[in-house]
C-alpha cells in the first residue's frame, strides 16, 4: 500500500524527498498536499503499519490500511487541478510501468537472437 500510495501521489506532483524515511515522507506529503487532520491521521496509520511490517517480530498482525491509503489519495487528488487529476487517473505511473514491462517481455519473446535462455 505504501509504495502504491507514493506512486499515485507522485502522479499528481507530491514527491517524497530522496532518502526520506516513511515518517519524513509522510510529514512532507501531508504538508504539501494540504491534508485534513483526518487524512493526516490516515497517513499516519499507513506509516505505522509499514513500520510494524518492517521492524516488528515476524508473524505479527498487520492492519489493513487500504481504506486509509485511499482516503489520503482522494484527499490529495481533490486539491489538484482538473488536468492533473485526469492525467493521474487515465495514465498512472503504475500502469505505465506495467505496460513497459510487458513491452520488454514481448521484445525478448519475439527476437530469435535473444540472449534469454529458453524456459523448461
Amino acid at each position: 500500500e505504501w509504495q502504491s500510495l507514493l506512486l499515485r501521489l507522485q502522479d499528481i506532483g507530491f514527491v517524497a524527498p530522496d532518502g526520506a524515511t516513511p515518517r519524513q515522507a509522510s510529514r512532507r506529503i501531508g504538508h504539501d498536499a494540504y491534508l485534513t487532520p483526518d487524512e493526516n491521521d490516515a497517513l499516519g496509520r499507513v506509516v505505522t503499519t509499514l513500520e510494524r511490517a518492517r521492524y516488528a517480530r515476524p508473524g505479527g498482525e498487520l492492519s489493513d490500511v487500504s481504506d486509509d491509503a485511499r482516503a489520503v489519495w482522494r484527499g490529495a487528488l481533490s486539491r489538484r487541478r482538473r488536468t492533473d487529476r485526469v492525467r493521474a487517473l487515465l495514465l498512472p505511473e503504475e500502469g505505465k510501468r506495467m505496460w513497459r514491462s510487458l513491452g520488454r517481455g514481448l521484445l525478448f519473446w519475439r527476437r530469435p537472437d535473444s540472449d534469454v535462455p529458453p524456459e523448461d
Side-chain angles (χ1 to χ4, degrees), residues 31-53:
H31 175 267
D32 291 352
Y34 301 105
L35 296 180
T36 66
D38 288 341
E39 293 161 353
N40 263 320
D41 290 344
L43 183 56
R45 288 189 295 272
V46 172
V47 170
T48 299
T49 302
L50 172 67
E51 290 172 342
R52 278 192 199 124

Side-chain angles (χ1 to χ4, degrees), residues 91-102:
L91 195 57
E93 186 61 32
E94 286 179 302
K96 289 188 282 188
R97 287 182 182 186
M98 182 194 72
W99 285 112
R100 282 186 211 118
S101 69
L102 284 174

Side-chain angles (χ1 to χ4, degrees), residues 22-98:
R23 287 262 169 223
Q24 293 167 335
S26 69
R27 280 194 298 271
R28 175 70 177 269
I29 289 167
H31 175 267
D32 291 352
Y34 301 105
L35 296 180
T36 66
D38 288 341
E39 293 161 353
N40 263 320
D41 290 344
L43 183 56
R45 288 189 295 272
V46 172
V47 170
T48 299
T49 302
L50 172 67
E51 290 172 342
R52 278 192 199 124
R54 286 184 177 176
Y55 306 118
R57 285 184 160 163
E61 283 288 317
L62 296 175
S63 345
D64 180 12
V65 293
S66 57
D67 289 339
D68 288 329
R70 195 172 309 114
V72 172
W73 161 244
R74 286 183 178 154
L77 185 65
S78 71
R79 292 172 190 90
R80 299 305 288 182
R81 294 181 314 216
R82 182 177 295 150
T83 55
D84 293 335
R85 292 191 309 250
V86 169
R87 183 178 30 79
L89 293 171
L90 294 179
L91 195 57
E93 186 61 32
E94 286 179 302
K96 289 188 282 188
R97 287 182 182 186
M98 182 194 72

